[in-house]
Amino acid sequence: MEEQKIIFSGIQPSGTITLGNYIGAVRNWPLVSELGFGIFSVVDMHAITVRNTPADLRARTLSTLAVILASGVDPEKNLVFIQSHVPAHAELAWILNCYTMFGELGRMTQFKDKSKQHADNINAGLFTYPTLMAADILLYNTDLVPVGVDQKQHLELARNIAIRFNGIYGDVFKIPEGHIPQLGAKIMSLSSPDKKMSKSDPNPKSYISITEGKDSIIKKFKSAVTDSDNKIEFSDTKPGISNLLTIYSVMTGCTVQEAVSRFDGRGYGEFKLAVGEAVADGLEPLRQKYEYFMQNKDYLEKIYTESADKACRLSYRMLSKVQKKIGFIKK
Ligand code: AQP
């Protein structure tokens, strides 16, 4: 019998989940978890690397959890918990910090980008964010990490930290593999298609929230930045149109080539409307499930409490093993 895979992934409650987060990651979670056991976390400890209003963080944490469930992750078969409820994440992160080099963290492009965006708050947490992410993954003997391409560098670092640690102490950590979708691994901003779509972008026209209504979605696609030559083709020189073609393909299940043929000779206006409709219609079932979960807060609480209890038990096994290896005395 084939061995069951362990799948781990997380998402920050740093804004409302975007179409980018959905296409690049969350949408794939129920599919990948079919391969084994999925462990999915709303990583609120990562989200405090930038300043938040506490009430907003609480609300976004719950709504992110509802999105994960609405996307089809089955909480009876998988874990869906809030990161700060499982203390082993912070404990292992500290240990891993001592096995991670300053230069490695300084090379992370997300750190460089976020330092520019939050120049008044370049805190140590922003710098050591990748070691917390390494802890998230390595605590569970994870085989696969379904993420968008922007997380590839952090994942590579997690692997390097694990290999370094194993080199000193023997085979402690399993070395995880990334699971990055072939299409849609990096959905671009609708207002600046040379930039990634991000939930914390201050310009709401740049992203689609996956719980947004149809009219608003269509309006945003109609005003998406493209180019002026009015030819629908997939090319590096046409980032706006290529991004829309990618989104359309993922949401309708056709290939990019089929999408290009479908819109051959048609204008940008017609194409943008079709993309907006495909997205709004494609997200509608998820939106309805999301509303349902948001009206059932007791159910959400039950899921995150039970999942955290199980995650605490699983993660402490690995944490204890690591603590023993490095020479901490058992309590
Ligand atoms: N634009 C994107 N296209 C495809 N995948 C994406 N992901 C993020 N943006 C895109 C993937 O979504 C998952 C969750 O991301 P995260 O919350 O851990 O943080 P992030 O990667 O920093 O995402 P954002 O939306 O850009 O958040 P903020 O604005 O807070 O920095 C990851 O698997 C990620 O790859």
Side-chain angles (χ1 to χ4, degrees):
M1 209 173 79
E2 212 172 299
E3 201 200 329
Q4 292 254 306
K5 301 277 186 212
I6 296 179
I7 296 105
F8 178 91
S9 200
I11 184 158
Q12 297 186 74
S14 45
T16 13
I17 308 304
T18 69
L19 186 64
N21 301 129
Y22 178 66
I23 291 180
V26 180
R27 172 179 180 269
N28 304 310
W29 292 358
L31 308 172
V32 185
S33 61
E34 293 289 314
L35 300 173
F37 180 54
I39 303 174
F40 301 109
S41 184
V42 181
V43 290
D44 53 346
M45 290 180 348
H46 283 276
I48 61 162
T49 51
V50 301
R51 291 279 176 269
N52 296 275
T53 305
D56 288 352
L57 181 61
R58 265 190 292 277
R60 291 196 309 254
T61 300
L62 217 53
S63 95
T64 304
L65 198 102
V67 169
I68 298 174
L69 297 180
S71 75
V73 169
D74 181 352
E76 300 296 325
K77 295 187 184 148
N78 305 282
L79 303 185
V80 185
F81 67 94
I82 297 167
Q83 184 189 31
S84 61
H85 292 178
V86 182
H89 288 248
E91 293 180 67
L92 182 61
W94 173 255
I95 296 172
L96 296 183
N97 270 329
C98 304
Y99 295 81
T100 307
M101 300 303 127
F102 188 87
E104 287 176 309
L105 293 173
R107 282 195 289 279
M108 296 294 111
T109 50
Q110 180 171 304
F111 171 68
K112 292 184 202 162
D113 292 347
K114 294 250 154 135
S115 300
K116 277 190 211 137
Q117 277 170 35
H118 304 277
D120 56 340
N121 182 25
I122 307 175
N123 59 70
L126 198 61
F127 189 64
T128 60
Y129 178 113
T131 48
L132 177 57
M133 179 167 155
D136 298 338
I137 297 166
L138 298 176
L139 271 175
Y140 298 100
N141 279 316
T142 301
D143 294 285
L144 291 175
V145 188
V147 282
V149 83
D150 64 317
Q151 292 298 336
K152 201 173 166 196
Q153 195 186 28
H154 288 164
L155 183 61
E156 202 50 47
L157 180 61
R159 285 167 55 90
N160 290 341
I161 297 169
I163 292 168
R164 179 174 304 142
F165 195 93
N166 287 357
I168 306 170
Y169 301 105
D171 277 343
V172 178
F173 295 124
K174 192 178 267 184
I175 310 301
E177 300 287 338
H179 188 282
I180 296 175
Q182 286 188 336
L183 190 63
K186 190 173 183 184
I187 299 296
M188 309 310 279
S189 153
L190 297 185
S191 55
S192 320
D194 52 333
K195 253 179 43 187
K196 183 180 84 108
M197 183 182 284
S198 270
K199 60 178 119 57
S200 63
D201 195 314
N203 177 6
K205 281 187 169 173
S206 69
Y207 58 77
I208 301 291
S209 294
I210 64 168
T211 53
E212 213 164 312
K214 185 166 185 168
D215 291 348
S216 167
I217 292 178
I218 289 180
K219 210 166 149 197
K220 284 188 185 177
F221 275 103
K222 277 188 179 165
S223 65
V225 169
T226 48
D227 52 63
S228 55
D229 75 5
N230 226 24
K231 188 161 171 31
I232 297 167
E233 60 183 2
F234 195 89
S235 131
D236 287 347
T237 58
K238 295 171 74 76
I241 289 295
S242 300
N243 190 37
L244 297 185
L245 280 166
T246 302
I247 294 171
Y248 181 85
S249 303
V250 173
M251 296 309 289
T252 59
C254 71
T255 64
V256 169
Q257 207 37 56
E258 281 163 357
V260 171
S261 313
R262 206 171 284 178
F263 292 97
D264 186 32
R266 291 156 78 178
Y268 282 3
E270 200 182 334
F271 174 54
K272 286 178 175 179
L273 177 64
V275 183
E277 281 178 340
V279 169
D281 295 346
L283 292 180
E284 185 52 26
L286 184 143
R287 206 165 69 91
Q288 285 179 12
K289 284 188 209 146
Y290 166 81
E291 298 295 346
Y292 169 81
F293 287 123
M294 286 305 279
Q295 281 161 19
N296 287 278
K297 299 260 168 63
D298 291 350
Y299 177 71
L300 293 181
E301 189 178 330
K302 175 178 174 292
I303 298 303
Y304 70 65
T305 307
E306 289 177 1
S307 287
D309 288 346
K310 289 182 197 152
C312 279
R313 283 198 293 279
L314 286 176
S315 57
Y316 264 102
R317 274 189 223 155
M318 177 58 86
L319 183 67
S320 306
K321 189 171 164 186
V322 170
Q323 288 172 328
K324 191 171 166 203
K325 289 280 179 189
I326 61 175
F328 287 180
I329 289 178
K330 198 170 172 0
K331 195 166 60 167

